[in-house]
Amino acid sequence: AQSVTQLDSHVSVSEGTPVLLRCNYSSSYSPSLFWYVQHPNKGLQLLLKYTSAATLVKGINGFEAEFKKSETSFHLTKPSAHMSDAAEYFCVVRGQTGANNLFFGTGTRLTVIP
Amino acid sequence: EAGVAQSPRYKIIEKRQSVAFWCNPISGHATLYWYQQILGQGPKLLIQFQNNGVVDDSQLPKDRFSAERLKGVDSTLKIQPAKLEDSAVYLCASSPAVGGLETQYFGPGTRLLVL
């Protein structure tokens, strides 16, 4: 079975400081992993995805994530937070090969303090 | 390119009433998904269509929920009768390929409140 665990339900950072949102995964096979962002009253938007190519994945808006098999982690980072980054972030793992079903974590709410 | 469209955006009903949600995927996308997102949780897949056929409906409470995608384009999700625990945001998503592992694009969701 596959699942993801987001270690923090809420993260608060000051504008201009680094962002770290933590995610651990559990999978019996080589996983495909994603980070999605959800702004209030807007649809989920894909930030980045890992599909067994480069372990450091760059996404939109300056976000990146590193796949670490030894730690079963896929943490999301950004060097400098912007006010517009305030949103809910979801770590996601894809279901078994051949299916395109997604399993979402419980989400991390990012607050950016001016 | 237009995104995934959903309507209505908000709906308030009383328990035991019926409700229907509509989704129009991105043009040309073969696969369509309905997710349920309960407050404080991540979205959970309810049903996945490939063209007009069902790929996965293992998490759909079939005693009260139904969904169709008759012409392989837009889709409706119905709840009859609604329960209090059905209060959630219902998200529709679509992806391009048939049988492929493609990025899913999400609509803005329909927020349902059951009183």
Side-chain angles (χ1 to χ4, degrees):
Chain A
Q2 54 285 313
S3 66
V4 289
T5 302
Q6 293 185 244
L7 301 173
D8 307 292
S9 60
H10 188 202
V11 169
S12 184
V13 301
S14 297
E15 188 177 17
T17 64
V19 176
L20 170 63
L21 305 183
R22 299 182 295 165
C23 174
N24 286 349
Y25 70 89
S26 174
S27 177
S28 57
Y29 53 91
S30 182
S32 294
L33 294 161
F34 309 77
W35 276 97
Y36 276 82
V37 61
Q38 188 174 38
H39 288 93
N41 298 316
K42 291 189 177 180
L44 285 156
Q45 181 184 22
L46 180 67
L47 275 180
L48 50 81
K49 61 181 177 181
Y50 166 78
T51 54
S52 72
T55 56
L56 182 62
V57 182
K58 294 188 183 299
I60 62 172
N61 301 334
F63 284 94
E64 62 182 37
E66 185 171 9
F67 175 75
K68 291 186 176 180
K69 187 175 181 179
S70 61
E71 298 176 10
T72 61
S73 69
F74 190 59
H75 301 335
L76 181 70
T77 61
K78 182 174 180 177
S80 176
H82 191 272
M83 293 299 296
S84 61
D85 295 328
E88 188 89 17
Y89 291 80
F90 292 95
C91 183
V92 184
V93 62
R94 182 142 55 198
Q96 64 185 21
T97 302
N100 201 24
N101 45 338
L102 300 180
F103 295 87
F104 284 75
T106 52
T108 298
R109 179 164 298 278
L110 176 65
T111 299
V112 182
I113 303 167
Chain B
E1 156 180 281
V4 177
Q6 291 188 248
S7 67
R9 294 295 309 277
Y10 305 93
K11 190 74 176 179
I12 301 174
I13 62 172
E14 294 187 350
K15 60 183 179 183
R16 291 187 290 274
Q17 285 187 322
S18 301
V19 65
F21 313 128
W22 175 82
C23 171
N24 190 24
I26 293 173
S27 178
H29 279 196
T31 310
L32 185 148
Y33 316 78
W34 283 103
Y35 289 84
Q36 179 192 58
Q37 185 177 15
I38 294 172
L39 186 66
Q41 299 180 20
K44 181 186 77 172
L45 180 69
L46 292 175
I47 188 167
Q48 177 183 346
F49 290 95
Q50 194 162 283
N51 295 316
N52 60 350
V54 175
V55 174
D56 181 359
D57 63 356
S58 57
Q59 303 254 54
L60 187 73
K62 299 180 186 65
D63 58 334
R64 297 184 300 106
F65 286 65
S66 64
E68 60 183 14
R69 193 185 184 200
L70 292 177
K71 296 183 179 179
V73 181
D74 57 350
S75 174
T76 55
L77 176 69
K78 298 179 181 178
I79 308 175
Q80 180 179 7
K83 293 185 175 181
L84 297 178
E85 59 261 36
D86 298 332
S87 295
V89 176
Y90 291 85
L91 298 166
C92 180
S94 68
S95 62
V98 174
L101 302 179
E102 299 289 338
T103 297
Q104 295 183 24
Y105 297 86
F106 286 81
T110 296
R111 187 175 297 274
L112 173 67
L113 179 60
V114 183
L115 301 176

